[in-house]
Amino acid sequence: MSKKRLVVIDGKSVFYRGYYAMPNLATSDGTPTGGVYGFAVMGLEVLKKLKPDYVCVAWDKPKTNIRRRTDLYPQYKANRKPAPPDFYVQVPILHDLLDAFGWPLYEIDDHEADDIMGTFAVKAKEKDIETILVTSDHDVLQLVNGHVQVASLKRGLTDVELFDKSHFEAKYQMTPEQFVDFKSLKGDASDNIPGVAGIGEKGATELIKEFGSLDNIYDNLGLIKANLAKKLEAGKDMAYLTKKLVILDCDVPIKLDWKQADVTNTKPEAVAAILQKLEFRTLLRQLPDKMQVEAEVVQKHTEQGLAHNVEVTKVELPAQLESLELKPHTELVVHVWCNGAHGADLTEVLISDDAKRAYLINATKLKPENVAKALKNILEDESVPKIAHDTKAVFKAFYRLGVEITPIHHDVRMAAFLLNSLIREQGLTRLAQDAFGYEGEDLDDVPPEKRLDLSGTIAPTVWKLYNAQLGALNKIPKLAKLAREVEWPSIAVLAKMELNGIKLDGSKLRKMSTQMEGEISDIEQTIYGLAGKEFNIASPAQLADILFEELKLPTETIKKTKTGYSTAATELDKLRGKHEIIDQITKYREVTKLKSTYVDTLPDLIASDGRVHTTFSTAVAPTGRLSSHDPNLQNIPIRTEEGRKIRKAFIAEKGHTLISADYSQFELRLAAALAHDDDLIEIFNDGVDIHIRTAAQVYGIPLEDVTKEQRRHAKVINFGIMYGMSPHGLSVATGMTQKDAKIFIDRYFELRKPIREYIDKTKKEAHDQGYVETLFGRRRPTPDVKSSNWVVRAAAERAAVNMPLQGTEADLMKMAMIELDKKLPKEAKQILQIHDSILVECPDKMAKQVGDQMQDIMQKIYKLPVKLDVDVSIGKDWGAL
């Protein structure tokens, strides 16, 4: 019979991990929940993997927990900063969660959580109960023995290293009992304990391995090298003081209530209620058996109320398909399943003309073209509004079969995103969970054998989401109008663009790959020469050693991580000009990334038609901007030689031409319009170079006297100011001193008072109304502007200021794409949308006509006080545009 098991969780340690891992997590009303979520995730992992019989939580009692140790050493933990206020806001919420879980929390004056954990481990041993201590604090490793293990949190919330005695000894090359003496020598920077000055981890390990204990080391100083012995002698008092601070008190006057800690004390209804209240609905599905509740209890707490098992008729015989009768002139829910690359092969269609009935049509048995023929009339009937969860997939499936579906009336995925652009997942299952507390099977990745059964849930789920979202959208008329006139019509355009794809000459990229191999090798040799040795350039640790140990580059401004000085691109930028190796490393990273991300990967993504078909997502960026993936064609750099070479591999079909129409200075023009900056509007409308004019105004000089450098300074601030560019940011970007950068920004805002007022007004709206919106009513919630964490709050304010600009830009771009789809000749096909530009492919003979048409349509897409300027370029490959 196996022993019973106690798990003791270091509460604040786990709570901190969740808080900093998910700083932006909050409920829909803005209540911060990151720490609680992290604790809940970890708690469920504990139950799942460790299978305890008893669980309790040890907590550091605020203000008094370290009193005993600070009496010994006043500097103990003096480097610890107090947690932000929204950390403490979550503590009472955590107490409610622990109460529902049935896990008692213990805290006591003068003793830290580690001491409580050690005490409970001793009490458990007396009862022959084994203990696992869950923490990210290594101090408790001294407790590991035949009865005690430590589950040490490494990264995130679920990456755990389990230490028993043998694993500890193999990793640290000492016994757990020796760990205290090891730390007495090494010290602990996280607790502000110095240990013996000049002795680090390696030195402490070697001393413990050789002499076994702190006492034995000091009894044998004569056997130790003079230099090291001198350090030990000087640091003797601190070594023994450190030992007193590090060693845990396992006799804390606190009693563990075993009955209360029994895992059977969990309250399933309370767990369901609090997880629902905190909007942790995914966790509801992951609860272990002991925390599960009956379906009717979940329904009581979640107001589930979702109709299941509507009548679904299976259609797999030709006669059934021919006799299929659907209600005329009424809304129609359509859902598809497809196989093959990019969902090329239609396998099944779920169609429902009534919330109480649905049909599952087997396109594999009946053949897709026969299904398309049977449904063509109703799908193309403009009097029949179509509703779907993923309308783009429906469009693509039927476009391939010659069916021009029209119109789209509602897309529940996109509507959910419009109503809350911060939601990270818009799968049907997740939407049903969030809206109705759905607790059934996965509705997104449904295997063929389950589709008939789950169709009876999918159809009513879409119907109910549609009705709920319709009501919500109608309360925001401007947003509802955006949905009807921009979002729904743009889905059809994107479906066509994805199907069109763009031709790629894979041989050009394969040749380029070979050339880049040589270039990378040359850069490597240059870096090795500058470093004086060969090393793994891709290893942050080895690179840091070269830069900061071998080459002695300055570290004053370089961020430090747990493993040493950072070598991230932002940190290397601070070293630019200090040593030529920095430019070479940057170049190495750029070339290797382009090679692996694009040059070596793209040829494998060429479809049978010789073209690459990206996927455009409309529900990722909260601004509404499109994102491209599988592959991402929006991030191929345009300003580097390698990036241009990659773009040159994207070509027009024989006898065809590529045309790019690009909005010029789009965001700046929109900033002028939204801020009602009449001077800026006039500059644009007069066709004056905005950067020269800005430089002339800021420096107080005539236009003709503006230098290239002054124009560059003005350009940086013009494009950076709406992103919250600071004097430091401007100085880094331009080489100005920080003092000059501040003067420049102050002068800029004197000239551009409307821009300053617009920024301030937008921040105020974000705070006061809880959202900001575009010119056309697209919204972004702004809960984080109320965060007590300055970094989170400042980032949220910058995003709030930028959103109306980028969001209005996204809205106008979609409007332009819809209009181009209507008015361009059928032979001219939109194939890509990249940031501010649209790429079209058309026959050579109509290139000039199509280019002029694109320019005219895009410039006149919406009447603004500022002119929209569109640059058009024509060529045989993307790199030439």
Side-chain angles (χ1 to χ4, degrees), residues 147-274:
H147 292 266
V148 179
Q149 298 177 68
V150 172
S152 178
L153 304 182
K154 294 174 72 180
R155 292 177 298 277
L157 298 167
T158 57
D159 186 1
V160 175
E161 185 175 11
L162 190 63
F163 284 94
D164 58 11
K165 199 166 186 296
S166 61
H167 178 56
F168 177 91
E169 290 173 357
K171 181 165 183 171
Y172 287 99
Q173 302 174 54
M174 66 186 75
T175 67
E177 293 79 11
Q178 293 172 320
F179 192 64
V180 171
D181 288 354
F182 162 75
K183 292 202 75 173
S184 301
L185 294 167
K186 172 182 167 288
D188 189 339
S190 66
D191 288 342
N192 203 39
I193 308 170
V196 176
I199 296 182
E201 184 164 335
K202 185 177 179 182
T205 301
E206 292 302 318
L207 285 166
I208 293 296
K209 282 170 67 177
E210 184 172 356
F211 295 100
S213 70
L214 192 65
D215 289 341
N216 215 23
I217 290 168
Y218 279 102
D219 287 343
N220 292 280
L221 286 180
L223 302 177
I224 299 173
K225 290 180 182 178
N227 186 40
L228 182 56
K230 188 175 179 182
K231 291 178 184 178
L232 287 165
E233 186 64 49
K236 182 174 181 180
D237 290 344
M238 183 52 72
Y240 279 99
L241 174 59
T242 299
K243 183 167 184 174
K244 290 180 181 178
L245 295 170
V246 169
I247 198 164
L248 298 181
D249 181 357
C250 295
D251 192 24
V252 174
I254 194 168
K255 186 177 180 182
L256 172 59
D257 187 329
W258 292 94
K259 190 174 180 181
Q260 192 180 12
D262 194 302
V263 291
T264 59
N265 279 336
T266 189
K267 305 169 186 174
E269 287 191 43
V271 172
I274 192 167

Side-chain angles (χ1 to χ4, degrees), residues 59 90-100 103 105 107 274:
W59 194 265
Q90 298 182 52
V91 173
I93 304 172
L94 175 67
H95 287 177
D96 291 342
L97 181 77
L98 293 176
D99 183 63
W103 296 352
L105 180 146
E107 59 182 1
I274 192 167

